[in-house]
Amino acid sequence: MKFAPLMMLYPGLLSVLFIVGSISALLGTIWKLMQHDIKKMLACSTMAQMGFMMMQCGVGLFAAAIAHLCWHGLFKAYLFLSSGSAVKQKKSDASFSKASPMMLITSLVGGMAAMFCFALVTNKTISLYQASAFVLFFAFIAGAQLMLTWIRVHQTVLSRVSGLVLASFSGIMYGASIQLIQWLIPGLSTLQAPHLSLIHWAMMSLFGVFWAVFNLGSHKTMSQSKLGCWLYMNLFNSSQPSRKTMTALRNDYNY
């Protein structure tokens, strides 16, 4: 973050950082969905989240990236501590079924609530050209995913109300954490973020489409085609560690 003022002087550098972060976030998300080992899933998830932080830095939202880092650290620590019980539960329980279109539409309401609560706390204006639209978009996706997961587990009318409250609260907490970071590091709030370009909106649209496709389960239908199988195998193989870094025999380890 010490280099933030220097990076703001070079828009091209910010664009490169955004593109690299987008690739990291996209590959990490896809690779995570292909893994069966809990440790590899957590590693790919961390890779994706670090990519999202780089994307936030690429649009000049350094305070949002720091807040994302703090929340991710807390959440990932919980995931590591609960990974053992997650493996046990995965063996006994069936995985989530695909979301119905009505569930997806309902979750969008939670996303809107999270986005507006986030904008209210941070005093961000909803504009298509300002960099704040980027973090508002991901606040919307996070709120929608939170509500979708909630109503999948609790399929009652009351769960929709409680899910809406939970999504709104998440937007408030995320916005408050960014405000706290800006208060602790005053220099970040004085940086003028660049305007969003076509590249930024293209990547945001791509992540939005991916979110809808995977939650609707459309990727399973696509994976049954020859192109889908070829793409799956190549992506899965690329997510595996190199053979040069793996030891197959116990005698190869140095104690």
Side-chain angles (χ1 to χ4, degrees):
M1 291 300 129
K2 292 183 178 180
F3 295 99
L6 181 62
M7 295 174 65
M8 295 296 292
L9 299 177
Y10 300 95
L13 181 60
L14 292 177
S15 299
V16 172
L17 184 62
F18 181 85
I19 294 174
V20 173
S22 301
I23 296 173
S24 176
L26 188 61
L27 286 179
T29 303
I30 295 176
W31 285 347
K32 173 182 175 292
L33 297 173
M34 296 179 174
Q35 305 304 320
H36 301 282
D37 183 78
I38 187 66
K39 294 180 180 179
K40 291 182 180 180
M41 292 176 66
L42 292 175
C44 292
S45 173
T46 301
M47 173 183 171
Q49 295 302 317
M50 293 300 294
F52 287 127
M53 296 174 206
M54 292 175 64
M55 293 173 69
Q56 290 171 336
C57 292
V59 293
L61 302 175
F62 297 97
I66 296 176
H68 193 147
L69 176 64
C70 296
W71 284 114
H72 172 69
L74 293 173
F75 183 63
K76 190 53 62 72
Y78 164 76
L79 290 180
F80 270 107
L81 292 174
S82 61
S83 59
S85 59
V87 172
K88 185 177 180 180
Q89 183 179 4
K90 189 175 182 180
K91 292 180 179 179
S92 58
D93 297 343
S95 59
F96 276 144
S97 59
K98 64 179 182 179
S100 63
M102 184 56 65
M103 278 187 175
L104 203 63
I105 294 174
T106 305
S107 68
L108 296 181
V109 179
M112 294 293 292
M115 183 181 67
F116 280 110
C117 288
F118 176 85
L120 182 64
V121 173
T122 57
N123 295 322
K124 301 290 186 182
T125 57
I126 302 177
S127 174
L128 298 179
Y129 302 102
Q130 294 183 359
S132 58
F134 176 81
V135 72
L136 286 171
F137 172 77
F138 278 100
F140 168 78
I141 292 294
Q145 183 61 45
L146 177 60
M147 186 165 183
L148 180 61
T149 304
W150 185 262
I151 61 179
R152 271 178 169 179
V153 178
H154 311 282
Q155 298 183 8
T156 60
V157 178
L158 184 60
S159 67
R160 287 167 171 77
V161 178
S162 58
L164 185 62
V165 174
L166 189 61
S168 302
F169 181 72
S170 67
I172 293 174
M173 290 298 295
Y174 185 40
S177 63
I178 294 178
Q179 292 293 90
L180 178 62
I181 295 298
Q182 290 180 341
W183 179 73
L184 293 174
I185 312 177
L188 295 179
S189 59
T190 60
L191 298 176
Q192 186 66 31
H195 292 292
L196 296 181
S197 64
L198 185 61
I199 297 177
H200 299 119
W201 277 107
M203 293 308 302
M204 290 163 61
S205 302
L206 181 62
F207 279 104
V209 170
F210 265 69
W211 177 80
V213 166
F214 281 107
N215 278 294
L216 287 173
S218 303
H219 64 289
K220 295 181 179 179
T221 304
M222 297 167 58
S223 63
Q224 295 176 358
S225 62
K226 291 184 178 180
L227 179 61
C229 292
W230 176 84
L231 186 61
Y232 175 86
M233 290 304 301
N234 280 274
L235 287 172
F236 180 77
N237 290 332
S238 63
S239 69
Q240 303 305 305
S242 174
R243 293 182 178 180
K244 297 180 180 179
T245 64
M246 297 175 63
T247 52
L249 301 176
R250 179 182 176 88
N251 296 331
D252 294 337
Y253 288 94
N254 295 321
Y255 294 99

